[in-house]
Amino acid sequence: MILETIIIVIYTIAIILIFMYSLAQLNLLFNYLSSKKANKVCDTFDLSKPEEVPFVTIQLPVFNEMYVMDRLLDNIALIDYPKDKLEIQVLDDSTDETIETTRLHIEKIQTKGLDIIHITRTDRSGFKAGALKEGLEIAKGEFIAIFDADFLPKPNWLKRTIPYFKDEHIGVVQTRWSHINRNYSILTKIQAFALDAHFTLEQVGRNSKGHFINFNGTAGIWRKDCILDAGNWEGDTLTEDLDLSYRAQLKNWKFKYLEDVETPAELPVVISAARSQQFRWNKGGAENFRKMLKRVISSKNISAKTKIHGLLHLLNSTMFLNVLIVAVLSIPMLYIKNEYAHLRFYFYFMSFFVMSTVIFFICYWFMYKQIYGSGFKNFFSYIGLFFTFFTIAMGFSLHNSIAVLEGHLGKRSEFVRTPKFNISTLKDSWKGNKYLRKKISPHVIIEGILMLYFGFGLYSAFIVGDQGGDFGLFPFHLMLFLGFGYVFFKSISSKM
């Protein structure tokens, strides 16, 4: 009974942590809905007055971006802002032939009168954070806008964001990501679904109540003084954006999130690229929890509620670990349930925690209808997408849990940037992308084993107990079987 007790305790703790996280999401939903009723008026710069137009530096940190570099530069050249108040820095850490093609393209843009410079480094120390920090040393702008290589800001982007900096306490203005290839595949649809939840429910829900949010690494703009006051960019985590965001807000800088300003970008279309992105984000979140835990708890500048939301924010990625624990232990729990009749009241009580899924379902519906609208047709589409998202997200739980554990344990790793594709329709092919890794990760093999393990869980539903089976966990195990199967087969096929 000792082993069974250990399994029950660990399973219960993980279930309760997931439930607590769902309650935090529900609180963010209430914040989100109340923010829609508020009508806050901000004092803004009047850009029609030349004396109120501040100098802006746009930084483009890039690394081996053969497929999107021309598109990025051509798009940035269209930014509508006074040329005498605008500087563009191409922070190019590339190690391939794109260094030369980028240089030639920049020279062509310079002939149009734009102040655009090409900054290269032979030493990639600090990776993206190092490049941003080096560019900042010579930046002319009072404000620093940052775009990754796959982002395509609209010409009026600066005119819609810069005015908010008239409030001297605002250190960052962040915009919402949109997705140029949202409907390319199931993979892009579920990535868009997850990001939409973050950029509506979470960012607005936190920002509207003064809780900490994060600069998302791109599609936002910093006050230069804020970067310097917060301690500048540091490359000791894989999410330098989250790190600097928290250091800035701990020093009382305000962040302004603009849900209505979209910045289009490209989602990874192949699973290996999505895996590398997910690994970096989830490990970086755990690294920042280690780095910021004491600072957040001991801060005298923020409320207890902001501290709680901040810690839950930093622990976002750790939920994957709880999901994996619940998933793996659910099959032993199925047998324990049918072996020990005296525990039936415990299992009745634990069934209450299915409310976590209901809460997520409600929260994400409000996000979905904000983007697509309500109505029966959209609701039924949402139901399918919600369960597809949850299924595949659970399939990623092993991969993301390994990232989380490495982050919490302090294991250092190289910044692996996400390959870009310049793909938006099914007619476009990613097969020839030179930046894709061909080697299959050992994690993929374990995901295949887990697929079989949850297949056994499906079989177990028919054979446990004396009443012709126990199908209470059958839907959960089916989603796990399909989720790990999807991730496994997609990962294998992408290497062929």
Side-chain angles (χ1 to χ4, degrees):
M1 190 64 185
I2 295 176
L3 177 60
E4 289 89 338
T5 302
I6 293 171
I7 290 172
I8 290 171
V9 169
I10 295 173
Y11 182 84
T12 304
I13 291 171
I15 284 278
I16 291 173
L17 288 173
I18 292 172
F19 181 65
M20 290 172 62
Y21 179 73
S22 72
L23 292 178
Q25 293 293 103
L26 187 61
N27 181 250
L28 291 179
L29 174 62
F30 293 147
N31 293 350
Y32 179 81
L33 296 176
S34 66
S35 75
K36 296 299 175 185
K37 300 174 185 176
N39 188 22
K40 294 182 180 179
V41 179
C42 302
D43 191 17
T44 58
F45 286 127
D46 182 355
L47 298 184
S48 65
K49 299 177 180 178
E51 67 274 13
E52 290 200 34
V53 179
F55 203 116
V56 177
T57 295
I58 296 176
Q59 291 186 324
L60 308 175
V62 298
F63 175 70
N64 294 350
E65 303 292 2
M66 173 186 290
Y67 303 96
V68 296
M69 200 66 216
D70 288 350
R71 183 182 72 181
L72 170 69
L73 292 173
D74 289 340
N75 184 79
I76 286 296
L78 298 176
I79 289 287
D80 181 16
Y81 201 76
K83 289 182 179 179
D84 62 332
K85 294 291 183 72
L86 180 65
E87 170 196 40
I88 302 169
Q89 293 181 337
V90 181
L91 308 174
D92 192 353
D93 279 2
S94 298
T95 57
D96 65 1
E97 65 271 29
T98 57
I99 290 182
E100 181 60 18
T101 56
T102 297
R103 182 185 66 79
L104 294 173
H105 202 132
I106 288 172
E107 288 178 356
K108 190 186 301 182
I109 294 174
Q110 286 171 339
T111 62
K112 300 176 183 178
L114 273 178
D115 182 3
I116 179 170
I117 57 173
H118 191 202
I119 301 172
T120 60
R121 299 193 305 164
T122 54
D123 175 14
R124 285 188 68 218
S125 59
F127 304 105
K128 181 180 176 180
L132 293 170
K133 186 175 183 179
E134 191 165 313
L136 191 70
E137 292 177 2
I138 59 171
K140 304 172 187 175
E142 302 169 61
F143 302 98
I144 313 294
I146 301 170
F147 300 103
D148 284 347
D150 51 334
F151 279 74
L152 301 168
K154 295 172 184 176
N156 66 348
W157 192 91
L158 283 178
K159 289 186 174 179
R160 296 187 68 186
T161 54
I162 279 293
Y164 291 95
F165 283 104
K166 188 163 187 178
D167 181 345
E168 294 181 353
H169 296 100
I170 289 179
V172 171
V173 172
Q174 174 68 50
T175 65
R176 178 166 66 89
W177 297 3
S178 60
H179 320 288
I180 61 177
N181 59 340
R182 172 192 297 271
N183 295 316
Y184 179 81
S185 65
I186 290 175
L187 181 64
T188 57
K189 286 178 181 178
I190 64 108
Q191 289 177 90
F193 186 89
L195 287 168
D196 288 342
H198 170 68
F199 279 100
T200 52
L201 179 72
E202 294 183 351
Q203 290 286 65
V204 177
R206 293 189 182 104
N207 192 229
S208 64
K209 297 298 182 182
H211 304 320
F212 286 9
I213 65 169
N214 60 298
F215 166 65
N216 293 103
T218 177
I221 184 164
W222 284 81
R223 187 186 297 272
K224 186 177 181 180
D225 286 345
C226 174
I227 297 175
L228 297 174
D229 183 53
N232 215 324
W233 296 103
E234 295 177 358
D236 57 344
T237 72
L238 293 180
T239 46
E240 72 295 321
D241 44 7
L242 180 59
D243 171 29
L244 185 59
S245 297
Y246 267 66
R247 285 188 278 122
Q249 288 166 109
L250 285 168
K251 299 206 76 171
N252 288 334
W253 287 98
K254 293 180 182 177
F255 281 34
K256 178 73 176 177
Y257 177 67
L258 304 178
E259 185 186 8
D260 60 334
V261 180
E262 295 182 26
T263 309
E266 176 186 315
L267 294 161
V269 297
V270 61
I271 198 164
S272 60
R275 289 172 75 99
S276 66
Q277 187 178 72
Q278 287 285 310
F279 195 90
R280 188 175 71 247
W281 288 351
N282 286 290
K283 182 171 181 177
E287 288 176 329
N288 274 290
F289 177 78
R290 290 179 74 244
K291 184 173 181 177
M292 293 295 162
L293 175 60
K294 290 181 181 178
R295 302 188 204 186
V296 171
I297 291 175
S298 63
S299 175
K300 294 181 172 59
N301 299 326
I302 55 178
S303 68
K305 194 168 185 179
T306 295
K307 289 180 182 181
I308 292 170
H309 271 290
L311 294 178
L312 288 172
H313 183 195
L314 293 170
L315 284 171
N316 264 356
S317 58
T318 305
M319 286 303 110
F320 280 105
L321 181 58
N322 291 316
V323 168
L324 182 64
I325 290 170
V326 169
V328 171
L329 295 184
S330 63
I331 295 177
M333 288 294 287
L334 180 64
Y335 284 89
I336 291 171
K337 176 185 176 184
N338 286 278
E339 182 70 23
Y340 300 98
H342 65 283
L343 293 176
R344 65 182 182 276
F345 291 111
Y346 162 80
F347 285 98
Y348 291 152
F349 174 73
M350 291 304 292
S351 65
F352 167 79
F353 290 96
V354 75
M355 281 299 297
S356 299
T357 303
V358 175
I359 291 171
F360 286 125
F361 183 86
I362 293 169
C363 290
Y364 291 171
W365 164 241
F366 280 93
M367 169 273 294
Y368 187 87
K369 75 175 185 176
Q370 175 69 20
I371 296 171
Y372 295 100
S374 55
F376 280 111
K377 184 178 179 181
N378 280 338
F379 182 69
F380 284 114
S381 296
Y382 166 72
I383 292 173
L385 187 56
F386 175 84
F387 285 104
T388 301
F389 162 72
F390 255 62
T391 296
I392 296 175
M394 287 193 291
F396 271 98
S397 62
L398 172 73
H399 177 77
N400 291 344
S401 293
I402 292 170
V404 166
L405 287 171
E406 286 190 7
H408 284 305
L409 295 173
K411 181 181 177 182
R412 301 302 299 273
S413 59
E414 184 180 345
F415 184 103
V416 179
R417 73 100 167 95
T418 307
K420 314 300 189 305
F421 299 87
N422 196 6
I423 286 178
S424 56
T425 69
L426 287 171
K427 294 179 182 178
D428 302 323
S429 175
W430 51 264
K431 290 287 187 180
N433 191 300
K434 64 180 283 187
Y435 302 124
L436 289 177
R437 294 184 169 187
K438 299 299 182 184
K439 187 178 179 182
I440 295 176
S441 166
H443 302 170
V444 175
I445 306 303
I446 302 174
E447 286 160 351
I449 294 171
L450 284 170
M451 175 192 68
L452 298 176
Y453 176 69
F454 293 113
F456 172 73
L458 295 173
Y459 166 74
S460 297
F462 293 91
I463 63 171
V464 296
D466 301 322
Q467 307 298 321
D470 183 340
F471 294 92
L473 288 172
F474 191 87
F476 183 49
H477 289 153
L478 178 61
M479 291 173 69
L480 287 162
F481 174 76
L482 294 174
F484 278 102
Y486 175 88
V487 172
F488 172 71
F489 286 112
K490 274 287 184 182
S491 299
I492 294 293
S493 64
S494 70
K495 304 298 181 181
M496 296 178 178

